[in-house]
Amino acid sequence: MDYVVTSRRLPRYLIGLGLLGALVVLAIAAFVGVRLTSAFASTPPIVVKMIDMPATYQPAKLTIKVGETVEWKNVGNSVHHASSDPSTAVNPAEVSNPPGAKPFDSGFLQPGQTFTYTFTVPGTYKYICAPHETSGMLGEVTVK
């Protein structure tokens, strides 16, 4: 039995379905690409310098948005620290965290070292430098 091929063209509905499928794939890829780009595209951290003389944070107070990151940088010649954990403070009343927020603690930072923390809970965070708390090295971050 011989088959006679009258046309090598695909039916129009198959062409339409193929184009529709390609458009759906492109739309999904574009959406995922945008979502991945926005998830990984971040702004640079806000830098707080740790100064020796006088022992201070610079700036000592700042206001940021939820999701932003702060980087503490020890630009001095002595060890510094940034902690909102009351257990690290001489006077626990000098540190605080908003309800639902976990305290942050940089540990002791040697000259040139940095510590970053991304704030995810709105409110006011008060923190200290443990070695220099009694010298008045106090800081505050307000997250809106």
Side-chain angles (χ1 to χ4, degrees):
M1 182 191 269
D2 291 330
Y3 292 99
V4 178
V5 176
T6 58
S7 174
R8 292 186 176 226
R9 296 178 62 194
L10 288 172
R12 287 184 183 208
Y13 74 91
L14 287 179
I15 294 170
L17 283 175
L19 288 174
L20 180 61
L23 287 173
V24 168
V25 168
L26 287 173
I28 290 171
F31 176 75
V32 170
V34 167
R35 298 286 294 164
L36 289 176
T37 301
S38 65
F40 292 108
S42 60
T43 58
I46 294 105
V47 176
V48 174
K49 295 178 183 177
M50 300 163 138
I51 310 287
D52 286 345
M53 294 301 288
T56 57
Y57 296 107
Q58 201 173 64
K61 293 183 178 186
L62 62 124
T63 301
I64 64 171
K65 296 176 185 169
V66 168
E68 289 189 311
T69 300
V70 174
E71 176 184 85
W72 286 266
K73 182 171 184 160
N74 185 349
V75 297
N77 293 313
S78 62
V79 172
H80 286 292
H81 182 239
S83 179
S84 68
D85 185 346
S87 70
T88 64
V90 172
N91 179 1
E94 292 182 325
V95 296
S96 64
N97 299 281
K102 294 180 181 175
F104 63 85
D105 191 304
S106 69
F108 294 112
L109 299 176
Q110 298 298 321
Q113 288 185 318
T114 62
F115 166 72
T116 58
Y117 185 79
T118 302
F119 291 84
T120 58
V121 177
T124 300
Y125 298 74
K126 293 183 179 184
Y127 62 94
I128 52 98
C129 174
H132 304 110
E133 177 186 359
T134 57
S135 300
M137 192 165 179
L138 310 172
E140 185 175 300
V141 177
T142 300
V143 182
K144 301 228 176 200

